[in-house]
Every structure is written in structure tokens, then in C-alpha cells.
Amino acid sequence: MTQDILRQILDYSNRADPYPLYKELRRTPVYHDGSGPFVVSTYYEIQALLHDPRISSDARNLASAADDPLAEPGEEEETVLPPSFLKLDPPEHDRLRRMTNRPFGPPHSPHRVHDMRGDLHDIVKGLIDKIAENGNAERIDLVEEFSYPFPVTVICRLLGVPPEDEARFHVWADTLAASLDPDPDADPKERERRTHDSRMELGMYLSGLIEERRKNPTGDMLSELVTGNSPDGTMTTMEVLSTAALLLIAGHETTVNLITNGMLTLLRHPEVLDRLRSEPELSVNLVEELLRYEPPVQLVPQRSTLADIEVAGVSIPKGASLWLVLAAGNRDPLRFEDPDRFDPDREDIQHLGLGSGIHSCFGAPLARQEAQLALSELARRLENPRLLADPPPYRQNAVLRGPRHLPIAVDGIRP
Amino acid sequence: MTADGSLERLKREGRIVVVGASLAGLRAAETMREKGFTGSLTMIGDEPYEPYDRPPLSKQVLLGRAGPEGTALPRRRDIGAEWRLGVPATGLDMAARRVRLGDGNEVEYDRLLIATGVRARPWPQADEAALDGVFVLRTRDDAAALEQKLAAGPRRVLVIGAGFTGSEIASACRERGLPVTVAERGAAPLVGALGGVIGEVAAEMHREHGVDLRTGIMVTGLEGDATGRVRAAHLSDGTTLEADVVVVSLGAMRNTEWLAGSGLGAGPRGIACDAGCRAFDIRGIVTDDIYVAGDVARSPHALFGYQFLSLEHWGNAVAQAETAAHNMLSESTDRRPHLWVPAFWSSQFGVNIKSVGVPSMGTEIMITQGSRGERRFTGVYGYQGRVIGAVTFDQSRWLQFYERLIEETAPFPPPFTTVDRRPEGNRPMPADFPDPSVPTHGPTITLSGYSPADRRMTFTPAHH
Ligand SMILES: Cc1cc2nc3c(=O)[nH]c(=O)nc-3n(C[C@H](O)[C@H](O)[C@H](O)COP(=O)(O)OP(=O)(O)OC[C@H]3O[C@@H](n4cnc5c(N)ncnc54)[C@H](O)[C@@H]3O)c2cc1C
């Protein structure tokens, strides 16, 4: 029976509400159907595995990738670039992540994210103003018009993509994002070609930018990545490329879903939306609860075991593939009281939404700030927003789960 | 609820006295209020300040980055206490349930919590210790005075003792660009706490940062000038070192003298208590109304053979205080044991050092992740075929895993491989702790129980 649960989770028809299935799944904390991955769904087990040095993120340690039901041909960024630190183990992981962190966060750049606040605010304001100008209050797609463009624009600013190139960047980002979101109607060949072309174009564009920044550094993240001299040395051009691509894809995809899932949840809890309007500071705790309740990354599928290990009484052999279902762990009643309740005042929210351990979300401080700002501004400016479809249409992807469109209507948009 | 309702009465209108108004005292008081204690609460502290945090004293404060007055401990809640600050407790009458104060007053209690901590071990020659420019570092006042001296740009600082505090002081001096000499009796810094294998890494760290590190050496005397200012130190190798600031960092002594003659089981090793933080009297009988927590306590721990552990660890003070407070207000069946796995951190020369378990009990060590050469690694300590402790240098994100191994009494050497295993980590090696009969600055964890293997004690029953 459990065998079906896994298939059902991947099945698109359950995308809108996978939580009952996760509940079923948690009854077998380590689920294995004999051939596929070992699926871990309970909080404490996932948390321990994320800190377990016998677990690898490097696909080369998988005994066989063949039986991974999520493996998709042509999906891997590695076909063009070396693996980003997301898919590496220490010491390479630590070295690349450290070097990437130098221009991004403490101790070397403690203010980078905080200093973007003004910028973020301008971007959010600009996007909402544009929705107001377009003037169709009857039908707004919040994904297309807001939660998609926002993080791409932010990542452009962060990396240092010149404003005049942002439009091209958006197109590439969209195509690449769409590639993670198989559309059953689209011609797969055609899609693969478009994805490949976008990847190439983006790669070439970035290498051009990198060359330029090497000559004329301007203080943005790309400049610092190419010129930065840390105790670890300097990144090679290829390393900068794969890091930049990682920041673009990972930073972008997740934030779109965080904001969209957030708005969806708020629209389903109008009393919280009302509160947020008058108490924008509520957004801090609210976003943490969202990361628990509707995490944008539902599961981490690329882990493998370096040794035979035992988890919750189950022996997992060396070289096995592990899936850590973060979203199931986040609603584990052994860890959270009344876990299916969305409670913006919840105090004890040590969620798994951003992972944990050495691979915990690199962009977390930025993602949090983006989501806090986006949600409180939407709450403040949208007049009487309501959902036009519940559930809204979801994207195909089971890992990066979120609505493809979020159609809403409003009575107006406040200045 | 007790049959006679006495516990409810205690919670409602009892009198609780806390001696030692620092980390453990404050956290205990907060926990008591959280548990619904509405009676009277008296906080007695010999320092004139409300509770403040000590770890920053040897770090941010010495660097001039935080003022000593900026280290006040954040409050979890209002505790509505009567504060008696700047007054030491000087005695205890267990039968009458009274604490005597230095100002002649007495305070009565129904429950007493003792959290008097430790103090810095002073330089043994009192006249030399009194020289201007000679410091210890334990209190806010110590830190303020030392920081002022460092800011004035002394020509050379001498740190005596290279334990955690001494090493942090040396690190701060170097960060301020001050010439500093460290004299350590043992073979390397941190050797008492982490052993010689890790001590060697620490020694390299000192030297690379320009510390004049002298190991295997004792300071035999300090010398002042005509105005009473320290000017030089004499070393056991016959040399003399000029220094105008000397920081004595020789470990700590338990603040238990005020309990002498009270009948409580308190002595130079601390106050013995059971796993539930209830103090023992000198007859080895557990008291019902006196609890202890923090650096001054020594309690038996199941994971370490029920030997008595004394810990000088921030996290232990908090956890033990919470347990003590809980137990003070609970029926015997609701009491909890304090089974905290020891955990400690330090930060020096830009490196974050953390340890869990009791490394100093270990006889072997294995570098399971990273490399000592890069100063980013995890070392696991083994004792009689099991994992007993672990240390990380700039790798603390893995520590939780090793803590679990300690809790599970997992086998040593660990039979599995890990990410980032280097050739140096393929085999355990002797951890190289100094012979305990040779004094060093000492570990921050002291095993102070009598192990069954220890046959040196003699038993002399008292006669009536
Ligand atoms: C410089 C420094 C750096 C440190 N760094 C770290 C670190 O990085 N990591 C870590 O884990 N730990 C560190 N520690 C240790 C940590 O600070 C202690 O473990 C913690 O303070 C213990 O708290 P406590 O309340 O038990 O004792 P204490 O903080 O020692 O408090 C005891 C209090 O009781 C008072 N007192 C004593 N006798 C009497 C009396 N008779 N009457 C009234 N009051 C009395 C004392 O004056 C003191 O205020 C550091 C300590 C120091 C000094």
C-alpha cells in the first residue's frame, strides 16, 4: 500500500494537497519499496541525517542512479558546467560555499543583504504599481505579475546584471524554470532544445559579464567572486559560472514558490491577511511558519549513503539513494503541536524548510527578507483580494512545489 | 499535588533564596517564575552588578568591541526578585534554614539554590599578585581594568597559562597588535582540555599569529619596579622576560568557602549533588531543600560512569539551572535528572572551537573529518572502545552527529567512513593527555568522583 503513496506523491493530481499522503508516509519513517530510494519523512530522522557525515550530496557516490524515479534526462546543469556546491561534499563544498559567502554575508559582508532592503522595496513597489496601471482588477495572476519577476530582478541586482540586460535575463530564467516544470502538453524535444539554448546563451552571457568584471570590478557579487582573494584562493571562471547559475536557479525558483504559497495561504486565512496589513512586523514570524507549513522545497532527493547506516530501525546500505521529505517532517506531530494548523504566532518553529547542516539554504537571509517584504506589501496594498481558483493550477514539479498561476481579483490597489 | 498541599503552598507563598546572581542564578530564577512560583525570591550576589555574561569578557570586551557594561544578560522574563547585590553570603545555617550575609543580615528560605560559581585562581605570591599591572580575568571589573591597560598600548603582555581563557586573551592581544608572550607549564596550549594532538594545532595557531609561545615552562616569580608596577617575570629556564602587563590565567577555584562548617558537602572541588541537583551534606545524605547549579556544582553523570563531573561551561550552567529550578518546585516523581552532554565553545585566532562530551577522558583520538593542517577538522575521542568526546575546529555543523555517538556510547574507532575523510583520519592515535600529576592550566571539565579503579583513598569512619 505504501508503495502507492510514493507514486501518488509524484502524481500530479495530488499536487495541490500532498499533506494527507505525507501523513500516510510518516507511518513508515524510512520507507523503501525494495528498489527505489529510501524515503525519510519524520522530523527527527531527517534532522539527524542532514547533520550526518555519512550522507553525501555528491551523485558520484550513488551505487546506481538508474532507479531514481525523479531522474530526468537533460535536467542536469552539469552537462554544461561543473557541479555547483549544492551537489558537492566537503572539502570542495566548504571551499566554494565559503568563497561565495565572502561577498554575501557575515563575517566579511555583514551588510549586503540588509543594504538591499531599499532596493527590494523599490522593486516590490514598482511591480505593484504596474499591476495597478494595467488596471484589470478582475483578474490578476500574482505569479506572472509579481512573484516571478520579483526574485529575478533581485538576483540581477545582486549579481550585478546591468538593468538594460535584465529583460533578457528574465527570459532565460523563465525558460530554465519552465524546464524544471514538465508541461505534459509541450513537445519534449522542442522544450529540451529551448532549455539547452537558454542555458548556452545564459552561460555565454555570464562569461562575458565575468570577463568584464574581471577588468572593471564594480563591487557587485560577480565582481567579488572573480576578483575576491580569499585564503582559499580565487574561483576559476568555470566555478564562478556554476556558482552564478546556482544562485540564479536555486535562489529564484524557491523564492517564487515561497511568495506564491505565502499569498495563497494568506488568502485562505483572511484574518491573518488582515492582521498583516496593520502589523507588518508579523511577517517575520509568519514567513517562518510558512516555511514550515508550505515549504517551497518539499523534498531533498539527492543524497546517498557512504556507509551502511541504521535509521529508525531500518538498515540502509552503502550507496543507497535517500530522499528527505522536508515537507512531511515539517508536519510531524511528534515534533510540532497541531502541525496541520497554520499559526503565524507559533513560537517553536525549528522547521526544515531551508534544510539544515552544511547545505542549509545559502540564500536564506535574502529569501526571508524578500518574502517578508513581498507579503506585507501585498497585504497592505491589495484591496479585498480574493482567490479566483482554489486550488489554483499547480506546476508539475513535486520537489519545487508551487502554483503555476495564482489568479486573484481585487477591489482596487491602494497607493 | 502532595497530599498535604505543601508543594502548592511553597509555589504560592514560599521563600526561595538564590546565592550567586550570575548566569545560573538568573536562569534558575526565570524558570521558577515560569513554573508559576509566586512567592518571594531573593537574589544574593557579591558583585555589584545585575547578572552579566562572561564569555564576551575574554573576547569582544578585550578587543574593545563591546563595553564591559554592555554584557548584561538578556532577560527571558521579569523575575520580580529582591536583589541583594554587592553583599556576599558568608554562612549557612541548614537547621534554621538561614543564609548569613556579609552585612550582618540573615535571610530565611524554604528552598535555597547555590550558584556561586568559581573565581580565578590568583597568583600564589600575594605580594607579586598585588603589583600594578597583574591581572586575572573572571569578572566585569577584571575585564574593564585589563582592557584599559591594553588600550594604553603596553610594550609586552605576559599571559601565564594557555587554557581557553589564556589563549583567548593572547588572541585578543595579537588582534590589537600587542606583543604577547604565553608561558605554559604543559607541552602545548589547551593540552589539559583537548590533549597533545590538538594542543599541537593550537600551538601552531599561536605561533602563526605572532604569539611568543613558551611551553614546558613555569613562571617562577614576578618583579615590580620601585613604584609597585610589574616590570618582569622570571621563568623556570632561568630567563627573565620584561612585561608591563601580566595576566594570570591558571584556572579556577570553587566559591565554597562561605559554606565551611555548615555541614553541606562543599569543598575545594565544588558542591556535590545528585543528578537532580540536590546538594549532599557531609554525611553523603541528600538534602531536600538545597539545590546547586552551574560551575560550583559537581554531579554524577550516567554517561561517564557515574563519576562526578564539574563543568565550567556556559551551556551547562543554563541547563543545570533550569533542571534545579524545575526540581525545586516538583514532587519527587516529577523531578528530572540533569544529564546534559557537556558542550563548550571558544573562539580564538579567528577559529571557532567546540567540544562535546568529555574529551579529557579520552585516551585516543581520530581525525574523522577535515585536516589539522587546514585547521578545519573534527577529532573524535575514544575511551575503552567507545566514543567519549569530540572537538571541532571551524566545523561545528557536524557536532550534533558526534554528540549522538557519545549518547549512544557508540564504538571507537567509528567503524564507518564520513565525508571529507583524509588519510590522517584513517587510524586513531594516542590523544596525548598530560600525566594528571603534572599540573597544567587544567581542563574545563573535571572528573572529581572516585572511580572504582581508584584505590588510593582510605576510609575513616567517624566515631560518636
Ligand atoms: C573570561 C571567560 C570566558 C568564558 N568563555 C566561555 C566560552 O567561550 N564558552 C563556555 O562554554 N563557557 C565560557 N566561560 C565559562 C562560563 O562563563 C561559566 O561557565 C558560567 O559563567 C558559569 O555560570 P555560574 O552562574 O555557574 O557561575 P559564575 O558566572 O561564576 O557566577 C557566580 C556568581 O556568584 C558570585 N558569588 C560567589 N560567591 C558568592 C557568595 N559567597 N555570595 C554571593 N555571591 C557569590 C560570583 O561573584 C558570581 O557573580 C567563560 C568564563 C570566563 C570567566
Side-chain angles (χ1 to χ4, degrees), chain B residues 22 24 46-47 54 58-59 89 116 138 294-295 313-314 344-345:
Chain B
S22 184
D46 60 359
E47 293 186 76
R54 295 179 203 278
S58 52
K59 304 172 185 86
T116 45
R138 178 81 201 170
D295 284 7
H313 296 180
W314 192 96
F344 180 85
W345 86 95

Side-chain angles (χ1 to χ4, degrees), chain B residues 33-108:
Chain B
R33 290 300 190 204
E34 252 155 55
K35 302 251 166 230
F37 172 63
T38 52
S40 84
L41 183 59
T42 309
M43 306 285 295
I44 300 166
D46 60 359
E47 293 186 76
Y49 311 112
E50 290 206 358
Y52 61 88
D53 209 14
R54 295 179 203 278
L57 298 181
S58 52
K59 304 172 185 86
Q60 292 91 324
V61 173
L62 280 199
L63 287 169
R65 288 210 197 114
E69 64 297 326
T71 55
L73 279 165
R75 297 293 178 86
R76 290 184 183 168
R77 57 172 295 138
D78 186 22
I79 57 170
E82 184 192 336
W83 294 86
R84 301 274 188 103
L85 296 176
V87 189
T90 51
L92 170 66
D93 184 338
M94 287 170 64
R97 295 187 167 177
R98 263 203 282 263
V99 175
R100 272 192 300 282
L101 303 186
D103 60 10
N105 286 318
E106 295 192 336
V107 198
E108 294 187 0

Side-chain angles (χ1 to χ4, degrees), chain A residues 192-218:
Chain A
E192 211 175 291
R193 193 188 55 74
R194 261 192 292 143
T195 309
H196 183 256
D197 289 354
S198 285
R199 208 185 291 284
M200 291 297 286
E201 282 173 39
L202 173 67
M204 269 151 60
Y205 174 79
L206 280 175
S207 359
L209 206 56
I210 287 169
E211 273 325 298
E212 223 169 87
R213 290 294 189 275
R214 208 187 288 285
K215 281 180 231 131
N216 298 309
T218 49

Side-chain angles (χ1 to χ4, degrees), chain A residues 188-249:
Chain A
K189 276 257 144 43
E190 167 62 16
R191 227 175 49 125
E192 211 175 291
R193 193 188 55 74
R194 261 192 292 143
T195 309
H196 183 256
D197 289 354
S198 285
R199 208 185 291 284
M200 291 297 286
E201 282 173 39
L202 173 67
M204 269 151 60
Y205 174 79
L206 280 175
S207 359
L209 206 56
I210 287 169
E211 273 325 298
E212 223 169 87
R213 290 294 189 275
R214 208 187 288 285
K215 281 180 231 131
N216 298 309
T218 49
D220 49 46
M221 247 186 102
L222 264 191
S223 303
E224 298 203 22
L225 288 182
V226 290
T227 57
N229 236 327
S230 76
D232 294 295
T234 315
M235 278 193 197
T236 64
T237 300
M238 288 303 266
E239 284 169 345
V240 177
L241 265 176
S242 65
T243 303
L246 172 70
L247 297 183
L248 174 70
I249 305 291

Side-chain angles (χ1 to χ4, degrees), chain A residues 133-407:
Chain A
E133 278 160 33
N134 291 349
N136 184 3
E138 301 299 288
R139 192 176 183 88
I140 300 167
D141 182 356
L142 264 188
V143 176
E144 293 283 320
E145 297 179 57
F146 187 82
S147 32
Y148 238 86
F150 177 38
V152 193
T153 312
V154 174
I155 206 84
C156 284
R157 301 263 168 103
L158 182 69
L159 288 175
V161 174
E164 61 272 20
D165 294 339
E166 273 188 24
R168 293 162 72 199
F169 220 78
H170 277 235
V171 177
W172 293 320
D174 278 358
T175 322
L176 293 182
S179 79
L180 299 171
D181 179 16
D183 177 351
D185 300 332
D187 169 9
K189 276 257 144 43
E190 167 62 16
R191 227 175 49 125
E192 211 175 291
R193 193 188 55 74
R194 261 192 292 143
T195 309
H196 183 256
D197 289 354
S198 285
R199 208 185 291 284
M200 291 297 286
E201 282 173 39
L202 173 67
M204 269 151 60
Y205 174 79
L206 280 175
S207 359
L209 206 56
I210 287 169
E211 273 325 298
E212 223 169 87
R213 290 294 189 275
R214 208 187 288 285
K215 281 180 231 131
N216 298 309
T218 49
D220 49 46
M221 247 186 102
L222 264 191
S223 303
E224 298 203 22
L225 288 182
V226 290
T227 57
N229 236 327
S230 76
D232 294 295
T234 315
M235 278 193 197
T236 64
T237 300
M238 288 303 266
E239 284 169 345
V240 177
L241 265 176
S242 65
T243 303
L246 172 70
L247 297 183
L248 174 70
I249 305 291
H252 171 55
E253 270 317 299
T254 49
T255 315
V256 175
N257 287 338
L258 178 56
I259 294 172
T260 315
N261 291 339
M263 248 345 251
L264 175 60
T265 307
L266 288 173
L267 289 165
R268 286 171 175 168
H269 295 84
E271 69 296 345
V272 181
L273 189 63
D274 271 350
R275 258 182 79 193
L276 184 58
R277 185 170 305 134
S278 49
E279 283 175 58
E281 61 289 349
L282 177 68
S283 65
V284 175
N285 206 59
L286 177 125
V287 166
E288 291 319 298
E289 172 70 346
L290 270 177
L291 283 162
R292 183 193 72 80
Y293 183 77
E294 285 277 20
V297 179
Q298 297 266 301
L299 62 104
V300 171
Q302 72 273 85
R303 292 286 194 277
S304 54
T305 43
L306 293 178
D308 298 346
I309 65 169
E310 200 189 287
V311 180
V314 176
S315 312
I316 305 178
K318 177 178 170 168
S321 159
L322 278 185
W323 286 9
L324 309 179
V325 192
L326 307 178
N330 273 353
R331 295 207 188 187
D332 186 340
L334 291 181
R335 173 62 184 82
F336 297 103
E337 212 175 294
D338 205 357
D340 291 319
R341 201 163 81 88
F342 174 67
D343 176 6
D345 299 314
R346 192 183 286 273
E347 276 173 18
D348 176 25
I349 332 177
Q350 282 278 336
H351 58 76
L352 300 167
L354 299 169
S356 188
I358 64 163
H359 291 281
S360 69
C361 174
F362 177 85
L366 182 59
R368 287 189 159 109
Q369 188 149 305
E370 287 178 281
Q372 290 161 11
L373 201 83
L375 295 176
S376 50
E377 277 300 286
L378 287 173
R380 190 177 69 79
R381 296 196 59 190
L382 302 186
E383 242 174 86
N384 186 26
R386 49 208 180 265
L387 273 175
L388 292 181
D390 194 1
Y394 269 79
R395 298 164 51 199
Q396 183 64 34
N397 206 303
V399 174
L400 304 171
R401 172 179 161 269
R404 180 202 294 270
H405 302 289
L406 191 67

